[in-house]
Structures are given as C-alpha cells and as structure tokens.
Amino acid sequence: MAASGQGLCRAVAASPFPAWRRAHTEAGGGLKPEYDAVVIGAGHNGLVAAAYLQRLGVNTAVFERRHVIGGAAVTEEIVPGFKFSRASYLLSLLRPQIYTDLELKKHGLRLHLRNPYSFTPMLEEGAGSKVPRSLLLGTDMAENQKQIAQFSRKDAQVFPRYEEFMHRLALAIDPLLDAAPVDMAAFQRGSLLQRIKSLSTLKPLLKAGRILGAQLPQYYEVLTAPITKVLDQWFESEPLKATLATDAVIGAMTSPRTPGSGYVLLHHVMGGLEGMQGAWGYVQGGMGALSDAIASSATTHGASIFTEKTVAKVQVNSEGCVQGVVLEDGTEVRSKVVLSNTSPQITFLKLTPQEWLPEEFLEKISQLDTRSPVTKINVAVDRLPSFLAAPNAPRGHPLPHHQCSIHLNCEDTLLLHQAFEDAMDGLPSHRPMIELCIPSALDPTLAPSGCHVVSLFTQYTPYTLAGGKAWDEQERDAYADRVFDCIEVYAPGFKDSVVGRDILTPPDLERIFGLPGGNIFHCAMSLDQLYFARPVPLHSGYRCPLQGLYLCGSGAHPGGGVMGAAGRNAAHAAFRDLKSK
C-alpha cells in the first residue's frame, strides 16, 4: 500500500547522480569479456571486496541483479518524496579499518550518531493522569542510572559493571572478526608447511583468551546460555532486562529463553562509530548512501559495477577451476576468481555446477538454518509519533527519544517469549516485538518538510503460515494493521498520520533481496553456524571445494550485519591465492 501525501509535506530535492556511477561512466565502464575477478552481487560486502581487490591491482567487475546497488543496505523511494532504508536501517558494525582504507568520508559518507539511543515506553494501566514511565538510555552513565532507578535502585548500581563486563567481551571478540577462522582443514589434511602456516590463524583466538583471562567461564556462559539466564544474574527489573534482550533476539528466530541467544546480543553491542564503542547511528541519505560511498571508492580506482546484470552460472573449466560467469542473457565473462556475495544456498546450490562440489558439502549447505522472524514495515508519516510516555513538543519538533531505537511490546521478557511461541505455531505474533526508528528525526533529507520516515523492524512472523498457507496481500495487511494497532496504544494518532507503507514479510525479503528464508544474516547466527562452522565446518575460510570460488557475504565468517568484514577478508584470501599462482 502506498497512499498519496496529505498536504502537510513539502517536496525535498532529488538526490544527485551517485558518485560511483559517474566514476564508472567516466572510466569508460562498458562490459569487457574478461576481468581478473568477478563479484556476484553488489551488496555492501561485495562492494567492499571489489574495492579492496581493485586497490590491490586486481581488475574487478561486480554484477548486480537489481536496478540499485547495496543489497540490503539500500535507499529506495517507495512512497514519493520519502527515502527509506528499505531493509537494513542502522550502522554500527562496519569495521573501522574499512572506513579508513576505503576513504569513505572522502567518498561522501556522513553519519548521524544517536544519543540517547534506546527508548522503551511503558503501558501502565491505572496510572490515571500520570504520564506512564519509560526507560531512556544513552552514553551518559549517570543519566542511565537515574532512568533505571525508576524500576530498581539495585539495577541502577549494577548497570555500570554489566556494561564493563560486556565491553570486555566485545574487545575479546573484536580481533576474531578481521581474520579467517582457524584453518581446521589445513590442520587435519594439509602438508607440513600448510599446518605451520595455519598456526598463525590461532593468534586472534589466543589474544581473545588473554583479554578474558580468569573470567573465561563467565563469558562462555554469555555465549552459550539463554540471555534470560544471563540477565537474571545481573538484574531484577523486567523493563531493563527486556530492553537489553531485544538485541539478543533481533533478526533471529529465537526466544530470549533459547540457549545461545547471548551471542546475538554480543553481535549487536560490539560495534562502534567514530571511536565511540557500542554507538549506533543513521547514515545521511539512508543506508544506500553507505553503499554508494563504498562503490565510489571502488570505481574511483577502476572497478566496474553493473546493475540489472544477473549472474546465471559460475563457469568451471575441465580441470575443475573457476573461469568466470555466465550472465542471464548468455554473455560469458571470464575471470581468474569469482567472489559470491549471495547466500551460501544460492552460491552453491543454484549458481555452481553441482558436479564440481562434494555431495557431503552440498548436503550441509542445504541443511543450513535460515529461519527468519522478521517483517520489515517502512512507513511514511505526516508528523512525528507522540508517545503517552513522552508527548511531543508543541511545534512537533523531534525530541531526544525520537532518534532512538524505540522498543514497543518490550516491557517484559515474557512478552518476547510469547511472541516467539506464536510464530512456532505458524502464527504472526499477537503482540509483536517492534523496534521503531525515525531516521528523519536526525536526517531531514529523507522526507518532505514536516514529514518523517518510520522504520518498523518487527517479529515474530513465520515464513510459512499455519496449515502451509502462504502470505498474501490480505495476510500482509492484517499483520501490518496489528502492528499499527500496537503502536497506536503507545502513541495515539499514529494511524491517522500514515501516508503510505511498504510491508516486507520473510518471503518478500527473500524475493527482493535474495535473503534465504528472509534471514538478514543469510543463515542463523547460532553457535553451530559460527566461526569454524560458517557456513559449514572445514569451509569457513572463504574458500570452497571449487578452486577459485570464494564466499564473501553474510553467510561467511563473521556473519551478518552491515560489517564489511566478510568482504574484506574474502578479498584478501582471493588476493593471496592469485599472488601464489
């Protein structure tokens, strides 16, 4: 559904022609029959891989199926005048050296850091004329403690120690993100020289162990236990525990009571922006502006990026080595290496000739857990939501909480678990977990004057509904209406402010963005699909059983999120192999 505007919004200027496309055109960017490297998919990881390879002197071409680059990190104008970060919507995890190496600021990247960053309004019946309570968290620890003390003085005192505990674990995990996992295949089957070389991959693990020290058992519990168990050991107030637990389940078909949910929380707190640990922010112009900056860095150094060019097949020569790709229109493009930014399932089960891959490998790829709970709803509104717990200013200007991730139906971890149980029964959650963000509160370029874009990241919604029923327009609208009804209880008048909406259920996310099962991480970030085992055991180092083919997307280590690490690490692996030839 996309409704027309209601007269309160004045048009904003159109965005300029992307710098990456200008650079590509000026370089005479026509399709050539041969490149050193081909990248399948112009998602952010694929663009990062291309940018690094091109800087290393490897002539690289990127082929993108859609009309726009960025994969899930994309800006699209679904409702006229409103620019949505249509899939991913926040930035924090992008590796610091990628900013520096690719000179992203020089290529136009601008960020809006959020402080405060988290707002959880309460629904408190019987409060009478009293304003319901809310929990507002930011970078000021003393202010955080005041906020938490509304619910528990004990929790307020403990919170700084919890933050320090998690910060230390994030520091330990950090070096593991920028290197391939320990090469178990080389340890098991490699030559003596390969085994000696593989010892160097142990360094990040050893460094992590040194950072954690004697507290390793407690940290092990964070990674393996249900996040409810971990949080119960620290805190007593449900609003605080539920707010923190949202980061443990977001994007994952898991409950806060699921063992291993603690790692997903860590995955979402180990980032940072502009030197601020754990900071999250909005990209000026939407997430597509980040992809444009990476692409500009790549094309400035000579990379070629082609949109609406679908790769149909990876080509393999008679000796079992990759020799390029075939496009959907039959065009053959030769290359020495191919890096796939698509999911492991598309890469190995659809694009690669099956006869060149071991049966056991294919079986493991086909068994990857890709379940997703996510329905993303992008909403155009003609005014800011006014929450009962924090009413709007008289003129309707953004207040501090409007820049936050606003957590609705998150007063209690039991609510999150019940929402999960609905999906396990094949039903969209009756009270969905909602993360509501308003990037236009900090970036007015995204919407006409006086209007705003609202991102609703909601869960839990199953891929297939009860009884094997598929999502149709009626089911989509019914679920979106349910989400809007929930928001209306917290912010009366929200439904009347809606100008248009874009509803993306798990099958829609799969169809549009190529996310298997609608999973934003390509496959679940569960302990059995991480590090040594991402995407499958013995093939976690970006290389695969077919020589010259590399996985560089979120299905490779270290996983999902707008991080860029998989693209950077895979590019270095491919470059080392090209050099050795």
Side-chain angles (χ1 to χ4, degrees):
M1 163 191 156
S4 60
Q6 298 179 359
L8 294 178
C9 308
R10 294 191 297 278
V12 290
S15 58
F17 205 47
W20 71 265
R21 198 179 287 278
R22 289 199 302 273
H24 178 49
T25 303
E26 289 161 7
L31 180 61
K32 297 169 186 171
E34 186 168 354
Y35 297 87
D36 294 329
V38 159
V39 177
I40 304 172
H44 82 279
N45 272 309
L47 295 170
V48 166
Y52 273 98
L53 286 170
Q54 194 68 44
R55 283 168 175 264
L56 291 166
V58 179
N59 190 22
T60 303
V62 183
F63 296 105
E64 169 56 40
R65 172 180 59 91
R66 298 191 71 213
H67 66 285
V68 61
I69 65 165
V74 67
T75 303
E76 295 189 68
E77 193 172 314
I78 306 301
V79 178
F82 294 81
K83 299 173 192 169
F84 296 106
S85 292
R86 198 177 182 196
S88 61
Y89 54 101
L90 283 169
L91 189 67
S92 174
L93 298 172
L94 191 70
R95 303 303 296 153
Q97 63 270 45
I98 292 176
Y99 284 101
T100 306
D101 294 347
L102 303 188
E103 303 175 288
L104 295 185
K105 282 196 173 181
K106 172 184 167 184
H107 290 281
L109 181 64
R110 300 291 180 268
L111 303 177
H112 295 278
L113 272 64
R114 307 187 310 167
N115 184 33
Y117 53 78
S118 174
F119 176 63
T120 306
M122 303 291 113
L123 287 181
E124 295 184 311
E125 295 178 10
S129 60
K130 282 181 63 179
V131 173
R133 289 177 299 173
S134 61
L135 178 62
L136 187 70
L137 300 175
T139 58
D140 185 328
M141 182 56 73
E143 188 57 38
N144 287 344
Q145 289 178 287
K146 281 185 192 174
Q147 288 281 321
I148 295 167
Q150 297 176 90
F151 306 97
S152 166
R153 292 187 180 279
K154 172 182 170 289
D155 288 358
Q157 292 174 337
V158 169
F159 189 67
R161 282 196 284 122
Y162 168 81
E163 288 281 276
E164 179 56 35
F165 180 85
M166 295 303 291
H167 175 65
R168 189 172 179 184
L169 182 52
L171 282 179
I173 297 292
D174 192 73
L176 302 179
L177 306 179
D178 297 317
V182 175
D183 190 347
M184 299 305 295
F187 271 127
Q188 290 183 20
R189 300 193 293 264
S191 65
L192 179 61
L193 182 59
Q194 286 174 319
R195 291 183 188 188
I196 292 170
K197 282 184 177 179
S198 68
L199 288 174
S200 64
T201 62
L202 282 171
K203 286 181 182 177
L205 269 181
L206 296 173
K207 185 176 180 182
R210 283 198 302 272
I211 291 172
L212 299 180
Q215 284 188 294
L216 183 58
Q218 293 98 303
Y219 285 113
Y220 177 78
E221 185 176 40
V222 172
L223 299 178
T224 58
I227 195 59
T228 48
K229 179 182 177 183
V230 175
L231 293 173
D232 284 346
Q233 291 172 356
W234 286 91
F235 306 117
E236 62 185 11
S237 60
E238 279 299 326
L240 177 60
K241 288 191 286 185
T243 297
L244 297 174
T246 59
D247 276 336
V249 298
I250 196 158
M253 187 60 93
T254 58
S255 159
R257 300 180 181 181
T258 303
S261 51
Y263 178 78
V264 181
L265 179 142
L266 179 68
H267 184 77
H268 285 98
V269 301
M270 62 190 178
L273 289 175
E274 299 186 347
M276 289 185 61
Q277 176 70 30
W280 287 77
Y282 299 120
V283 178
Q284 173 97 11
M287 291 297 285
L290 168 66
S291 300
D292 286 345
I294 301 169
S296 176
S297 178
T299 55
T300 297
H301 286 79
S304 300
I305 300 172
F306 301 94
T307 54
E308 297 182 281
K309 294 284 185 186
T310 302
V311 172
K313 180 182 174 184
V314 173
Q315 278 196 306
V316 185
N317 65 23
S318 58
E319 296 170 358
C321 296
V322 163
Q323 64 176 20
V325 298
V326 181
L327 303 183
E328 201 169 56
D329 63 6
T331 303
E332 296 186 10
V333 182
R334 297 177 69 87
S335 66
K336 296 168 186 172
V337 294
V338 171
L339 290 83
S340 179
N341 187 43
T342 63
S343 68
Q345 297 87 333
I346 292 175
T347 301
F348 301 121
L349 302 180
K350 293 186 178 180
L351 299 182
T352 306
Q354 304 293 276
E355 62 269 23
W356 293 107
L357 294 171
E359 194 172 316
E360 183 185 6
F361 175 80
L362 292 171
E363 186 178 355
K364 286 178 179 175
I365 294 293
S366 69
Q367 293 171 348
L368 288 173
D369 178 5
T370 60
R371 292 174 302 159
S372 167
V374 174
T375 288
K376 175 80 188 295
I377 308 175
N378 299 297
V379 190
V381 297
D382 63 16
R383 57 188 178 272
L384 282 168
S386 184
F387 295 91
L388 292 173
N392 282 3
R395 293 182 178 272
H397 295 306
L399 295 172
H401 67 274
H402 284 122
Q403 66 187 271
C404 295
S405 290
I406 300 171
H407 307 287
L408 306 181
N409 292 336
C410 296
E411 292 93 335
D412 193 306
T413 54
L414 177 60
L415 286 174
L416 307 184
H417 178 67
Q418 289 170 336
F420 167 77
E421 285 190 316
D422 288 341
M424 290 295 96
D425 292 334
L427 305 172
S429 302
H430 290 97
R431 282 190 67 181
M433 181 184 112
I434 302 168
E435 181 168 292
L436 185 155
C437 290
I438 313 169
S440 50
L442 290 180
D443 179 8
T445 69
L446 297 174
S449 178
C451 296
H452 289 274
V453 293
V454 175
S455 165
L456 302 175
F457 197 84
T458 77
Q459 54 192 80
Y460 297 76
T461 50
Y463 184 91
T464 304
L465 300 170
K469 187 177 180 184
W471 287 88
D472 57 23
E473 201 65 31
Q474 185 177 352
E475 292 287 351
R476 276 192 201 89
D477 282 332
Y479 176 71
D481 289 344
R482 182 183 305 171
V483 171
F484 284 19
D485 287 341
C486 288
I487 298 171
E488 186 77 12
V489 177
Y490 290 91
F494 174 79
K495 291 197 289 188
D496 286 341
S497 74
V498 174
V499 174
R501 68 188 189 186
D502 171 45
I503 308 162
L504 301 173
T505 64
D508 298 319
L509 292 168
E510 181 176 66
R511 173 178 52 84
I512 296 168
F513 300 107
L515 302 173
N519 193 296
I520 61 171
F521 305 124
H522 285 192
C523 51
M525 298 284 288
S526 51
L527 293 177
D528 61 326
Q529 293 182 171
L530 288 172
Y531 199 60
F532 303 111
R534 192 166 190 90
V536 296
L538 302 183
H539 296 287
S540 58
Y542 312 102
R543 301 170 181 87
C544 77
L546 180 60
Q547 190 175 337
L549 179 61
Y550 303 80
L551 194 64
C552 70
S554 293
H557 171 75
V562 183
M563 191 182 295
R568 178 180 177 273
N569 295 352
H572 285 306
F575 179 68
R576 283 193 295 271
D577 292 348
L578 285 169
K579 271 207 317 183
S580 69
K581 288 179 182 179

